Amino acid sequence: MKLGQALRKFWTRSIRHQLMLGIALIHAVLMTIFVSELAHREKNFLHRQSLDQASSLAQALATNSTAWVLSNDVEGLEEVIHSLQRYSNLRYAMILSPKGQVLAHTDRGRQGLYATDPVSASLRRAPPRSAVLIDDDSLLDVAEPVVVGGRLIGWARIALDQGHLAANIQRVGRWGMFYTLLAILVGLVFAYFMARSLTRDIDTLVQTAGRVRTGGRTERVKLDRNDELGLLAADFNQMLDTLTANEARLKLLLDSTAEGIYGMAPDGRLTFCNPSALRILGFPDASELLGKDIHGLIHHSHPDGSPYPAEECKVYAALRKNRGQHEDTEVYWRADGSPVPVEYWSHPIVQEGKTVGAVVTFLDISERKRAEELLAKKIDELTRSNAELERFAYVASHDLQEPLRMVASYVQLLAKRYRGRLDADADDFIHYAVDGATRMQQLINDLLAYSRVGTRGKEFSPTDCNRVAEDALFNLSRAIADSGAEITSDKLPSVMADRGQLVQLFQNLIANGIKFRGAAKPDIHIGVSLAGKEWRFTVRDNGIGIAPEHRDRLFQIFQRLHSREEYPGTGIGLSICKRIVERHGGRIGVDSEAGKGSTFWFTLPIKPPNEETPHA
Amino acid sequence: MPDHRDLAPVEILLVEDNPGDVRLTEEALKEGKVRATLSVARDGEEALAWLRRAGRKLPDLILLDLNLPRKDGREVLREIKADPHLKSIPVVVLTTSDAEQDITQAYALHANCYITKPVDLEQFIQVIRAIDDFWLTLVKLPRKE
């Protein structure tokens, strides 16, 4: 394992290294195979040549010596043998009798002796045909039978020196090694230059990438190549273009957004911030912030000025808890030491399961806070004025009624005891005084009822308008019976409402229809239709109607269109209807013409209004 | 149980600051043919002092207005109902107010009943007569010492 790693490390040291090592290795292996094959062939060729030469010499010797052997002419044989000595590679030649006696030999000293060596001895038993007796690195000994009329009369032996063969092979080997080395050297040189050209361009790529990483966004690779490296460089440049464009877009976004945005390292130090962040925090440039502990700089204290320990910091909590944080009740501290109320979101940046930082976006919410404070103040004022209205209602119910009761009671007592005992004028005066006191009490009661629509309203609950209409009709049963009114109704929906007030609304409108009737019996219809997001209720009558010019006054408090003698009442009914409808988020109106009946309509939302229940 | 009326006119303490109302109550008793001795206290302190005077014969009924000078009717009611000697006397709150909170509070302080003064004289006479009928004739009350 360790060896493998070491080899791998050695091998992948550089591309140049790999290329040179590879080519040297390939050349060495190929050349070695080639040279050894060449040497082998050379050896075979030379050997075959020797064998052929030896065989033909032996045949020639056998043929030439036949006659001399037959005639046993030693001198003739010698002559034949000696004629062979011009062959430089001849080691020896001899003619043997079948019995192994040397008849002639290139070494005259051996003539007449018997060849007793094992090779020669083997000939004695050998069949009469050509035979290779010795074939080794130094000697080739070939025997040819000397035959006459099928009778073996001797052996002609030729021995050639094979030493030059080995020398030849050695020479081939030496040259082979030389060429191998040359091939390796040429290969290495070639590999060196090729690798240099390759790695130089790859180096260019690597260095460019490095420069881009450290901020050189305009750096591009310039390679004049058409190969894969050229394509890679083109792709690399294109990738850089895309990245630069994206980065420019992101930077534009970051620079132009109204939100303050900054980044933090895991230790809470600022890594970047956008112009809006600087603007909101009142810093002229980022240099005062970059690399600083951001909590200590802009978030060190609570809105009330008490210290805000970094361990409790909710911005840092994104780093600690690895979860997005949102807060809108805190302040950041500006460069000049003033607080600015902010809403912020702190998001951790997680890479491969590790929190590597956080991005914080924040807004200056001074305006919102001011608006909220203003709203709170207004609500407070409204609450107070409602409370005052409530007190006014109490004053009206008690303190105003008290003297009124005195006036009314004593005038009545006066009437009770002295009517008819004074003169007729006195009786009239007493009558008007009693009537005035009674009306005033009615007005006070109506005013109270009007103010209580707002102050005594109940919370809204699902209310079935059919039941509401039934209740209203029940409350009016006496008036309906007396007038002989005909009252019909559509099927009505359910709405979110204060049931008691809705009954009062229906009751007032129907009562109006009965009260302001013409000559005919009252005919009243309660209708409903869907109008956008509202129900539109109608109460249509066949009564005296209302001239268009009076419609606006109709819903104002204590406004009357008729004299009390014609139609009694204080003129409170429709103004209470208006208050009830408006409290329920609707509108009220009337379509009518004098003498043609009236259609009072009001709307109620299908969904209830988001009302702050008016319980001031 | 003897009927008060057979023996002597009933004793009523009226706690009321408005002389007009005092007179009106007297007239209503007269109009209503109610035989009663009416004692009047003009404020809360006077009423309590009157009730606590040594040897005093206690009234059969107290008619109490709520809005009084110095010590108002609610405090008078609280003290009467906290006093073992006085708490069994029926207290009828008779006031102009029909405010929900006044009614609730009065009963919470153990008022025996709460009546809003009607504006109409005839109705007022009816009310006084009804009070007399109910509290002084119909209802059985503990014997006084």
Side-chain angles (χ1 to χ4, degrees), chain A residues 299-316:
Chain A
H299 203 201
H300 46 74
S301 303
H302 287 293
D304 62 4
S306 63
Y308 191 165
E311 306 83 64
E312 294 167 16
C313 176
K314 293 204 177 103
V315 178
Y316 283 180

Side-chain angles (χ1 to χ4, degrees), chain A residues 318-495:
Chain A
L319 294 167
R320 284 197 306 272
K321 298 182 183 167
N322 216 354
R323 214 172 45 225
Q325 304 288 321
H326 173 227
E327 190 61 49
D328 63 357
T329 60
E330 298 185 350
V331 297
Y332 279 174
W333 297 85
R334 287 201 187 91
D336 62 7
S338 61
V340 51
V342 290
E343 176 175 16
Y344 63 73
W345 295 260
S346 184
H347 287 290
I349 306 168
V350 179
Q351 279 174 7
E352 293 166 4
K354 217 176 127 200
T355 305
V356 297
V359 170
V360 183
T361 58
F362 67 99
L363 286 170
D364 175 353
I365 56 169
S366 310
E367 283 303 320
R368 194 206 299 174
K369 288 282 174 196
R370 259 197 291 281
E372 278 171 8
E373 274 165 28
L374 197 68
L375 191 65
K377 213 172 115 193
K378 291 280 178 205
I379 288 172
D380 196 45
E381 280 171 14
L382 205 61
T383 309
R384 249 201 322 274
S385 93
N386 270 348
E388 272 162 25
L389 198 67
E390 187 93 345
R391 267 200 299 284
F392 166 76
Y394 185 81
V395 166
S397 78
H398 187 268
D399 295 357
L400 285 185
Q401 298 227 37
E402 189 81 31
L404 174 66
R405 204 167 46 78
M406 287 293 105
V407 173
S409 297
Y410 280 103
V411 171
Q412 280 175 326
L413 197 57
L414 207 59
K416 196 175 167 69
R417 296 232 180 122
Y418 300 100
R419 181 172 289 144
R421 291 165 65 181
L422 304 172
D423 61 12
D425 279 352
D427 284 357
D428 274 357
F429 299 165
I430 289 169
H431 166 74
Y432 287 128
V434 169
D435 186 46
T438 310
R439 265 201 347 264
M440 179 150 176
Q441 213 219 344
Q442 191 57 51
L443 283 170
I444 289 171
N445 283 342
D446 287 351
L447 194 61
L448 267 174
Y450 180 79
S451 78
R452 281 173 186 169
V453 171
T455 58
R456 295 285 163 85
K458 303 280 190 302
E459 280 187 32
F460 294 171
S461 57
T463 303
D464 179 359
C465 291
N466 297 298
R467 304 283 300 277
V468 166
E470 277 170 29
D471 284 5
L473 293 182
F474 177 80
N475 294 345
L476 292 170
S477 44
R478 177 81 177 272
I480 293 169
D482 287 353
S483 62
E486 185 78 22
I487 299 176
T488 54
S489 172
D490 288 350
K491 193 176 180 325
L492 304 177
S494 284
V495 294

Side-chain angles (χ1 to χ4, degrees), chain A residues 252-264:
Chain A
L252 185 70
L253 205 67
L254 211 57
D255 286 357
S256 60
T257 181
E259 283 185 315
I261 301 175
Y262 61 85
M264 293 186 303

